[in-house]
Amino acid sequence: MISFTETCRVSFRAIISNKMRSGLAMLGIVIGVGAVIAMLALGAGATAQIKSVMSSMGSNLLVIRPGTVTSGGIRIGAGSVPSLTLDDAKAIKAECPSVEEVLAQFNGSAQIVYGNQNWSTQVTGVTVGVFVVNDWKLTSGRPFTDQDMRSATKVAILGSTVARELFGYSDPVGEIIRIKKFPFR
């Protein structure tokens, strides 16, 4: 039987006598292990990104959209007719105890004006639930409240692009802008 020391001596001699072959084998192993580590890191990063995007939509989110309309034999896209009302949202909130929050929204586009600056953008009218449902945090200013909704206070929350285009890098909080013809704070 060959001893452990004899096996190590024979192996070392084989490595020394075949330097190029040994070097290429080591290089192949290093590249292979590095590639596996890189692929695992990319997979973990992609998984984390997907989880982040999914959690930003809400972990227990149910979306209810208005139906479609057929006019003259042509089906108009889903949500093209606002058949749901704010009363529907209030009824869901009141009659479904497992529903934590309800978000009613209406989408459109409009020109937003501040002083001599203007920007055309997507405008979304929402209820107070938007911050809970979307898990949104404001970088400055305050979220609108139920009191703002009840008194129909015209307040707006600007995205970073609109704020930068209208105000440059100055703080827009408290300023008056116009959305279409209506003033908003």
Side-chain angles (χ1 to χ4, degrees):
M1 185 164 240
I2 301 175
S3 70
F4 179 71
T5 55
E6 183 64 27
T7 303
C8 289
R9 192 180 0 240
V10 169
S11 300
F12 185 69
R13 243 183 295 159
I15 290 172
I16 295 296
S17 64
N18 297 306
K19 292 177 187 162
M20 180 65 96
R21 184 184 299 169
S22 301
L24 289 174
M26 286 190 324
L27 181 63
I29 291 169
V30 168
I31 289 172
V33 169
V36 168
I37 291 171
M39 288 290 106
L40 290 174
L42 284 172
T47 300
Q49 176 69 23
I50 290 169
K51 284 181 181 178
S52 172
V53 168
M54 295 301 282
S55 69
S56 72
M57 290 190 292
S59 58
N60 297 320
L61 188 63
L62 173 65
V63 178
I64 301 172
R65 298 193 188 275
T68 64
V69 169
T70 303
S71 176
I74 299 172
R75 182 180 296 266
I76 301 173
S80 58
V81 176
S83 59
L84 296 172
T85 66
L86 191 54
D87 289 335
D88 294 326
K90 289 176 183 176
I92 291 170
K93 177 83 173 181
E95 297 177 23
C96 299
S98 61
V99 172
E100 180 181 340
E101 190 59 70
V102 173
L103 166 61
Q105 72 180 41
F106 184 79
N107 298 319
S109 59
Q111 196 75 16
I112 300 178
V113 178
Y114 173 73
N116 64 352
Q117 301 294 322
N118 67 76
W119 189 255
S120 180
T121 189
Q122 182 74 25
V123 176
T124 304
V126 295
T127 55
V128 178
V130 68
F131 301 104
V132 173
V133 170
N134 292 316
D135 193 26
W136 283 353
K137 309 287 187 269
L138 297 178
T139 56
S140 66
R142 68 167 181 83
F144 50 89
T145 63
D146 284 323
Q147 177 59 34
D148 291 329
M149 293 281 297
R150 282 190 296 277
S151 63
T153 305
K154 289 185 174 44
V155 292
I157 296 174
L158 302 178
S160 58
T161 302
V162 174
R164 185 181 61 249
E165 291 297 328
L166 294 179
F167 295 93
Y169 291 97
S170 62
D171 188 14
V173 175
E175 298 292 334
I176 303 293
I177 61 171
R178 278 192 342 263
I179 300 176
K180 294 193 175 182
K181 296 179 182 179
F182 303 100
F184 283 77
R185 182 168 301 281

